[in-house]
Amino acid sequence: MTRFKVVRCCLAVCFACSFLFSVGSPSLADETGAEPKDGDKTAAVGIKKVSDWGYNAEDATEFLQAALDSGERRILIDRQSGPWMIRPVSLRSDQEIVFEEGVEIVAKRGAFLGKGDSLFRGDNVENLILRAEGKGATLRMWKSDYHEPPYEKAEWRHALCLKSCKNILVENLSFVSSGGDGIYLGVATKGVPCCNVTIRNVVCDDNNRQGISVISARELLIEDTLLRNTSGTAPAAGIDFEPNAESEELVHCVMRNCISENNDGGGYLFALHQQSDASAPISITLESCISRNNTGRGLNLYTNAENGPPKGTLHFNGLRLENDGVPALHRDSCENSLKLTFERSSMTLGQETTDLDSAWLEKVAPRINPANLPIVLPDVTRLKLIRGAQQNDETGDIFVRSLLGILAYAEQGQEVELAIQQHRVGGYEVDESTIAVVSPSGHEEKFSLIPSFNEPTVIQFVAKESGCYKLTTRIPRNACQIKSANVPWCYCGKKISLYRPQSVLYFRVPEGTARFDLTVMGSQGEAISAEICDANGKSVWTAENISTLAAFVSGDSPEPGVWSVALKKPSEGSFEDCAVALFGIPAILFERPDSSWSE
């Protein structure tokens, strides 16, 4: 039996057993086991109509919430003269909610002012069925309203929001025009994913951020589902698998017979940059799924080498990518620990069809570290400054995205002063963050960064010991720059992410180095050109318009000394984000050739 079939069976057995011993069969059969006659389903024993609590065409929230709070195991949202107009409602455990064919649940206009107000929300809910009869029912919000005052800008006004929920069936429903995602599967209790969730025969249409977002899930099955027309807020994908922390998980997640089409972003997005080698191994399978006519890539994958790449498998069986705006696949800083496999899969652009297989994968998304060399983070307790005792002048024009990690060398008693300034990227608002300063002996002190694009934050402290001080901050959306420093400093990290660099960076190749690898990466088609010169200033490698990645692997016993990598604006493609990673030698980059470091 294949792994996919095993997962499917486990899901079916767990789900069936759970409901058998909690809310009963998902059907509306009466206690004798006989199905009620057509047109008389509300007469079945054990089900009660929501209209029995009442109905108000202008605001039916209190009646629907009362039905959900009643403790009734099975309720029917029955058709009325108009839609069920509601404010946010909360779901309960041990309940089957049946939507009569043609029912519309509609968000009340002028409500949902809270940034996280969702149409239906369940936190830590168990044993819940949401299903519609016949040709289905619709849950509708007003996406365009939420982009204007009095609404604050937000991306979390979901149609269905489930957090840390267990044993859930969502079937035969349409989720339309939400202010966030059609369906969101997240976390209410840290460490508790959504578990044993089936989403079947669902349509997510015209939602603001994603058709479906999967933040943390174990034993998830999504089948016969259509994800289309997402637009409004990035990433605007059909579906996005995106944990918010390394403790969250994507385990035994299966999509089958799904279509993701006409989305402003991509079709199937795997944003795994918060996952690390400490996370639960990822296991996701897409079988007989289609991505077509999306503005972005049919398949997008992001990981983050800074955290240690996640482990696990992404398996694509019968995947078809058809005429998406950007060819798949983007694979950002993905190393060998996360395995991608393709079977019977293809990509069509115009009249040309390409088989998706291991050879194609290596061509379009080469490995970040082809020589399989180790990442060498220096031991700061042993790191010594070779040259560059003072650095009072202003620094270069290097802007770092996401994570800024630097080392600064100071003598005991020296007054250290570094100015760090945030730089706007696109239309993002200013980020609020802190910077941690760790002394050579491990003592940590934190400073708040000024939330301003115009004013630098000056970090000042007196060195209590001689050696290297590590400074780290994360700017989630924008970039930051070291404006000035009165001590020698360098960048240090598994990957240095940069914003529009047109500068030269230097790195040291120690005596006795066997080989090293320097990889330059573009981002989502944004390109960069690069040139590497050896310790004698001789050009040894150039690469133009790198939109995915290109790796320079040195020969055996490379010349020791200070080498350089010049990063340049590409002649083709857009120019914004890129990154540099070093393998086999200390992962240190510095802006001045006369500021050199060694262990």
Side-chain angles (χ1 to χ4, degrees):
M1 181 178 288
T2 66
R3 179 180 182 181
F4 183 81
K5 290 180 179 177
V6 169
V7 171
R8 180 183 179 185
C9 290
C10 290
L11 281 167
V13 171
C14 291
F15 192 78
C17 290
S18 169
F19 279 99
L20 180 63
F21 293 105
S22 57
V23 299
S25 168
S27 75
L28 288 174
D30 63 22
E31 291 178 338
T32 68
E35 291 284 347
K37 296 179 181 179
D38 291 343
D40 192 30
K41 293 193 175 184
T42 58
V45 174
I47 191 164
K48 189 171 182 179
K49 295 183 292 185
V50 175
S51 61
D52 290 344
W53 280 270
Y55 174 77
N56 184 318
E58 294 183 358
D59 189 340
T61 311
E62 64 174 301
F63 306 115
L64 178 54
Q65 190 65 66
L68 298 176
D69 294 342
S70 67
E72 291 286 336
R73 292 298 183 93
R74 307 166 77 197
I75 64 173
L76 178 77
I77 303 179
D78 47 324
R79 290 185 63 178
Q80 300 297 314
S81 57
W84 289 81
M85 198 77 66
I86 64 169
R87 292 171 279 112
V89 298
S90 297
L91 298 165
R92 305 302 183 211
S93 294
D94 303 318
Q95 200 163 59
E96 179 181 4
I97 303 169
V98 180
F99 298 75
E100 193 172 4
E101 181 179 357
V103 160
E104 277 198 301
I105 306 293
V106 178
K108 183 177 180 180
R109 303 190 92 152
F112 298 86
L113 291 169
K115 291 184 176 182
D117 284 354
S118 296
L119 201 61
F120 283 173
R121 175 168 178 154
D123 289 0
N124 295 294
V125 167
E126 297 186 4
N127 307 323
L128 174 69
I129 296 175
L130 297 165
R131 69 173 185 87
E133 297 177 331
K135 295 180 180 179
T138 300
L139 285 74
R140 185 183 304 277
M141 299 182 76
W142 304 99
K143 178 176 74 172
S144 59
D145 287 8
Y146 311 137
H147 290 180
E148 304 291 340
Y151 291 94
E152 292 186 73
K153 184 178 179 180
E155 55 193 66
W156 308 285
R157 296 180 178 100
H158 311 306
L160 175 60
C161 180
L162 300 172
K163 296 184 175 182
S164 299
C165 293
K166 182 179 180 181
N167 300 333
I168 308 294
L169 171 64
V170 181
E171 187 171 37
N172 203 24
L173 292 167
S174 294
F175 301 90
V176 180
S177 299
S178 74
D181 307 330
I183 300 175
Y184 178 92
L185 303 178
V187 173
T189 302
K190 185 176 180 180
V192 181
C194 285
C195 188
N196 294 336
V197 176
T198 296
I199 298 170
R200 180 183 293 121
N201 193 27
V202 159
V203 175
C204 293
D205 187 16
D206 187 42
N207 292 290
N208 186 58
R209 185 180 69 167
Q210 248 85 248
I212 298 176
S213 284
V214 183
I215 307 303
S216 189
R218 178 179 288 269
E219 309 295 347
L220 168 66
L221 174 62
I222 304 173
E223 63 180 355
D224 300 318
T225 287
L226 177 61
L227 310 165
R228 66 186 180 193
N229 303 324
T230 310
S231 67
T233 298
I239 187 167
D240 180 11
F241 292 86
E242 185 173 353
N244 290 326
E246 69 176 10
S247 62
E248 295 169 353
E249 58 186 73
L250 300 169
V251 176
H252 296 160
C253 298
V254 176
M255 294 187 72
R256 182 190 301 119
N257 300 327
C258 295
I259 298 174
S260 183
E261 64 181 10
N262 300 325
N263 299 293
D264 269 8
Y268 301 94
L269 172 58
F270 303 89
L272 309 177
H273 45 275
Q274 297 296 340
Q275 296 281 273
S276 74
D277 53 10
S279 303
I282 292 164
S283 51
I284 303 175
T285 296
L286 270 61
E287 181 169 285
S288 300
C289 291
I290 298 173
S291 171
R292 64 188 177 204
N293 300 327
N294 296 290
T295 302
R297 287 181 173 83
L299 207 56
N300 259 359
L301 170 63
Y302 304 95
T303 63
N304 189 346
E306 295 160 0
N307 298 335
K311 302 179 180 68
T313 301
L314 300 180
H315 181 60
F316 305 97
N317 185 359
L319 175 68
R320 288 159 45 199
L321 309 178
E322 300 176 350
N323 295 312
D324 293 309
V326 182
L329 161 81
H330 178 72
R331 178 170 67 173
D332 179 28
S333 53
C334 180
E335 297 189 62
N336 299 337
S337 56
L338 182 62
K339 185 177 181 181
L340 277 66
T341 59
F342 291 87
E343 181 181 351
R344 301 184 302 105
S345 296
S346 64
M347 175 178 65
T348 300
L349 293 173
Q351 301 301 312
E352 183 178 349
T353 297
T354 303
D355 290 335
L356 306 186
D357 53 23
S358 57
W360 168 84
L361 179 62
E362 190 60 35
K363 180 180 178 181
V364 301
R367 288 174 293 162
I368 185 175
N369 180 12
N372 203 28
L373 297 169
I375 295 174
V376 182
L377 293 178
D379 182 349
V380 295
T381 63
R382 297 171 52 201
L383 199 61
K384 303 296 182 185
L385 183 69
I386 297 177
R387 295 193 300 272
Q390 275 303 103
Q391 196 165 319
N392 290 311
D393 57 332
E394 292 189 356
T395 61
D397 292 326
I398 293 287
F399 300 94
V400 178
R401 288 297 304 267
S402 185
L403 181 69
L404 171 67
I406 68 171
L407 300 176
Y409 185 87
E411 298 287 346
Q412 185 177 10
Q414 184 176 5
E415 293 185 4
V416 178
E417 184 175 297
L418 295 99
I420 302 173
Q421 185 163 333
Q422 195 169 160
H423 179 81
R424 184 191 293 273
V425 173
Y428 288 127
E429 299 296 326
V430 66
D431 286 313
E432 295 187 8
S433 186
T434 59
I435 185 163
V437 179
V438 180
S439 72
S441 62
H443 175 73
E444 181 176 293
E445 185 176 0
K446 290 191 175 181
F447 298 83
S448 295
L449 291 180
I450 296 173
S452 170
F453 292 125
N454 302 313
E455 183 180 0
T457 299
V458 179
I459 306 297
Q460 294 176 312
F461 62 92
V462 175
K464 296 182 179 179
E465 54 189 305
S466 297
C468 287
Y469 289 75
K470 185 177 181 180
L471 291 80
T472 307
T473 188
R474 184 176 292 278
I475 306 295
R477 299 170 297 179
N478 295 296
C480 61
Q481 178 190 20
I482 307 298
K483 293 287 290 184
S484 64
N486 72 337
V487 293
W489 63 278
C490 64
Y491 300 106
C492 180
K494 295 179 180 178
K495 182 181 73 169
I496 312 298
S497 297
L498 304 169
Y499 178 73
R500 294 184 177 177
Q502 297 189 71
S503 302
V504 179
L505 289 168
Y506 300 88
F507 57 96
R508 184 172 185 82
V509 178
E511 293 273 1
T513 296
R515 297 174 81 195
F516 75 87
D517 171 340
L518 187 148
T519 297
V520 179
M521 292 160 271
S523 177
Q524 299 190 65
E526 295 165 358
I528 187 72
S529 295
E531 179 181 16
I532 294 177
C533 293
D534 66 13
N536 299 312
K538 178 183 176 182
S539 177
V540 296
W541 181 81
T542 59
E544 299 292 327
N545 307 323
I546 306 165
S547 59
T548 53
L549 60 85
F552 168 76
V553 180
S554 74
D556 294 337
S557 302
E559 181 76 18
V562 176
W563 292 47
S564 66
V565 54
L567 302 171
K568 307 172 185 179
K569 185 177 180 179
S571 59
E572 298 178 2
S574 59
F575 178 47
E576 187 162 301
D577 291 324
C578 68
V580 177
L582 285 165
F583 303 91
I585 57 175
I588 291 176
L589 291 166
F590 38 97
E591 293 188 6
R592 296 166 55 108
D594 60 349
S595 179
S596 184
W597 308 68
S598 179
E599 288 187 5

